Protein backbone atom coordinates (compact mmCIF):
# COMPACT_ATOMS: atom_id res chain seq x y z
CA UNK A 1 0.00 0.00 0.00
CA UNK A 2 1.38 3.39 -0.93
CA UNK A 3 1.60 6.06 1.72
CA UNK A 4 -1.01 8.26 0.05
CA UNK A 5 -3.41 5.28 -0.11
CA UNK A 6 -2.91 4.71 3.58
CA UNK A 7 -3.58 8.37 4.35
CA UNK A 8 -6.85 8.16 2.43
CA UNK A 9 -7.85 4.94 4.17
CA UNK A 10 -6.87 5.89 7.74
CA UNK A 11 -9.80 8.30 8.45
CA UNK A 12 -12.28 5.69 7.22
CA UNK A 13 -10.76 3.07 9.50
CA UNK A 14 -10.93 5.39 12.51
CA UNK A 15 -14.58 6.27 11.82
CA UNK A 16 -15.48 2.59 11.41
CA UNK A 17 -13.71 1.73 14.67
CA UNK A 18 -15.63 4.45 16.51
CA UNK A 19 -18.95 3.29 15.07
CA UNK A 20 -18.25 -0.25 16.26
CA UNK A 21 -17.58 0.87 19.87
CA UNK A 22 -19.34 -0.10 23.06
CA UNK A 23 -23.09 0.21 23.26
CA UNK A 24 -25.74 0.37 25.93
CA UNK A 25 -29.46 -0.20 25.56
CA UNK A 26 -32.34 0.36 27.93
CA UNK A 27 -34.86 2.96 29.01
CA UNK A 28 -33.74 6.57 28.57
CA UNK A 29 -34.06 8.27 31.94
CA UNK A 30 -32.14 10.53 34.32
CA UNK A 31 -29.66 9.61 37.04
CA UNK A 32 -30.19 10.61 40.66
CA UNK A 33 -28.12 13.72 39.87
CA UNK A 34 -30.45 14.58 36.96
CA UNK A 35 -27.97 13.60 34.24
CA UNK A 36 -29.07 11.61 31.15
CA UNK A 37 -28.82 7.87 31.69
CA UNK A 38 -30.01 4.51 30.43
CA UNK A 39 -31.55 2.00 32.80
CA UNK A 40 -30.52 -1.39 31.43
CA UNK A 41 -32.65 -4.51 31.53
CA UNK A 42 -30.63 -5.80 34.49
CA UNK A 43 -31.40 -2.58 36.43
CA UNK A 44 -28.01 -0.86 36.11
CA UNK A 45 -27.94 2.87 35.50
CA UNK A 46 -25.39 4.00 32.88
CA UNK A 47 -24.76 7.74 32.65
CA UNK A 48 -24.56 9.13 29.10
CA UNK A 49 -22.24 11.95 28.08
CA UNK A 50 -21.39 13.46 24.70
CA UNK A 51 -20.89 16.57 22.60
CA UNK A 52 -23.35 19.48 22.79
CA UNK A 53 -25.76 18.28 20.05
CA UNK A 54 -25.79 14.80 21.63
CA UNK A 55 -26.69 16.30 24.99
CA UNK A 56 -29.59 18.15 23.32
CA UNK A 57 -30.92 14.82 22.03
CA UNK A 58 -30.55 13.21 25.47
CA UNK A 59 -32.51 16.12 27.00
CA UNK A 60 -35.37 15.89 24.47
CA UNK A 61 -38.48 15.12 26.54
CA UNK A 62 -40.02 13.36 23.52
CA UNK A 63 -37.43 10.59 24.04
CA UNK A 64 -37.97 10.22 27.79
CA UNK A 65 -38.77 6.61 28.60
CA UNK A 66 -37.87 5.39 25.11
CA UNK A 67 -36.17 2.05 24.41
CA UNK A 68 -32.87 3.77 23.65
CA UNK A 69 -29.49 2.58 22.40
CA UNK A 70 -26.27 4.58 22.36
CA UNK A 71 -22.92 3.67 20.81
CA UNK A 72 -19.66 5.11 22.04
CA UNK A 73 -16.80 4.47 24.40
CA UNK A 74 -16.97 3.35 28.02
CA UNK A 75 -15.32 5.82 30.37
CA UNK A 76 -16.14 3.55 33.32
CA UNK A 77 -18.58 0.69 33.90
CA UNK A 78 -21.28 3.26 34.68
CA UNK A 79 -20.47 5.98 32.09
CA UNK A 80 -20.68 5.82 28.28
CA UNK A 81 -19.39 8.68 26.13
CA UNK A 82 -21.56 8.64 23.02
CA UNK A 83 -19.73 8.96 19.71
CA UNK A 84 -19.92 12.44 18.12
CA UNK A 85 -23.28 13.45 16.64
CA UNK A 86 -22.09 13.13 13.02
CA UNK A 87 -21.55 9.38 13.51
CA UNK A 88 -25.28 8.86 14.15
CA UNK A 89 -24.74 6.79 17.28
CA UNK A 90 -28.16 7.09 18.94
CA UNK A 91 -31.12 4.84 18.24
CA UNK A 92 -34.62 4.08 19.45
CA UNK A 93 -36.22 0.67 19.16
CA UNK A 94 -39.86 0.56 18.10
CA UNK A 95 -41.90 -2.45 17.01
CA UNK A 96 -38.76 -4.57 16.76
CA UNK A 97 -36.95 -2.04 14.54
CA UNK A 98 -33.74 -0.13 15.30
CA UNK A 99 -34.25 3.48 14.18
CA UNK A 100 -31.69 6.30 14.09
CA UNK A 101 -32.70 9.35 16.11
CA UNK A 102 -33.24 12.30 13.79
CA UNK A 103 -35.33 15.44 13.49
CA UNK A 104 -37.28 16.71 10.49
CA UNK A 105 -38.63 20.05 9.35
CA UNK A 106 -41.98 19.52 7.64
CA UNK A 107 -41.80 22.93 6.00
CA UNK A 108 -38.29 22.87 4.51
CA UNK A 109 -37.78 19.09 4.25
CA UNK A 110 -34.50 19.33 6.14
CA UNK A 111 -33.22 16.51 8.39
CA UNK A 112 -31.06 17.31 11.39
CA UNK A 113 -29.53 15.17 14.12
CA UNK A 114 -30.36 17.31 17.14
CA UNK A 115 -33.61 18.95 18.25
CA UNK A 116 -34.21 22.65 17.84
CA UNK A 117 -35.30 25.19 15.29
CA UNK A 118 -34.86 24.55 11.57
CA UNK A 119 -31.89 26.57 10.36
CA UNK A 120 -33.97 27.73 7.37
CA UNK A 121 -37.49 28.63 8.51
CA UNK A 122 -36.85 28.72 12.29
CA UNK A 123 -39.82 26.43 13.03
CA UNK A 124 -39.30 23.69 15.62
CA UNK A 125 -38.22 20.35 14.15
CA UNK A 126 -40.15 17.20 15.00
CA UNK A 127 -38.66 13.95 16.28
CA UNK A 128 -38.43 11.60 13.29
CA UNK A 129 -36.63 8.27 13.92
CA UNK A 130 -35.60 6.68 10.62
CA UNK A 131 -34.29 3.37 9.35
CA UNK A 132 -30.50 3.79 9.29
CA UNK A 133 -30.36 1.97 5.94
CA UNK A 134 -32.26 4.86 4.31
CA UNK A 135 -29.95 7.61 5.56
CA UNK A 136 -27.86 7.58 2.42
CA UNK A 137 -31.00 8.00 0.33
CA UNK A 138 -31.12 11.59 -0.96
CA UNK A 139 -34.81 11.89 -0.07
CA UNK A 140 -34.07 11.52 3.65
CA UNK A 141 -31.60 14.42 3.91
Amino acid sequence: MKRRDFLLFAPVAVTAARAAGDSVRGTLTKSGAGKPAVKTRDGRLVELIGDNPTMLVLSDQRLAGADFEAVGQRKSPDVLEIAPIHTRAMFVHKAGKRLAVSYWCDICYIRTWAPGKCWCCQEETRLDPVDPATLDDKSSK
Side-chain angles (χ1 to χ4, degrees), residues 10-128:
V12 174
V14 170
T15 301
R18 272 192 192 147
D22 297 321
S23 69
V24 64
R25 182 177 171 188
T27 304
L28 185 61
T29 187
K30 300 248 184 228
S31 69
K35 296 181 179 179
V38 165
K39 186 172 186 176
T40 63
R41 289 186 181 156
D42 62 3
R44 290 183 307 115
L45 207 56
V46 178
E47 183 182 333
L48 302 172
I49 59 174
D51 58 20
N52 288 338
T54 297
M55 297 307 289
L56 288 173
V57 172
L58 296 175
S59 299
D60 186 349
Q61 289 302 308
R62 296 170 286 188
L63 290 170
D67 183 356
F68 190 82
E69 178 184 357
V71 178
Q73 181 180 6
R74 290 276 180 168
K75 294 299 181 180
S76 74
D78 298 328
V79 177
L80 178 82
E81 181 177 20
I82 300 173
I85 196 79
H86 71 274
T87 64
R88 301 175 190 148
M90 293 179 282
F91 304 90
V92 291
H93 291 261
K94 291 185 178 183
K97 293 182 180 179
R98 182 182 193 233
L99 304 171
V101 174
S102 76
Y103 296 84
W104 182 256
C105 176
D106 288 320
I107 296 168
C108 303
Y109 296 165
I110 296 173
R111 183 167 310 284
T112 62
W113 305 106
K117 294 183 185 273
C118 172
W119 62 266
C120 180
C121 70
Q122 296 299 299
E123 289 296 320
E124 198 67 31
T125 55
R126 71 174 167 83
L127 177 63
D128 184 39

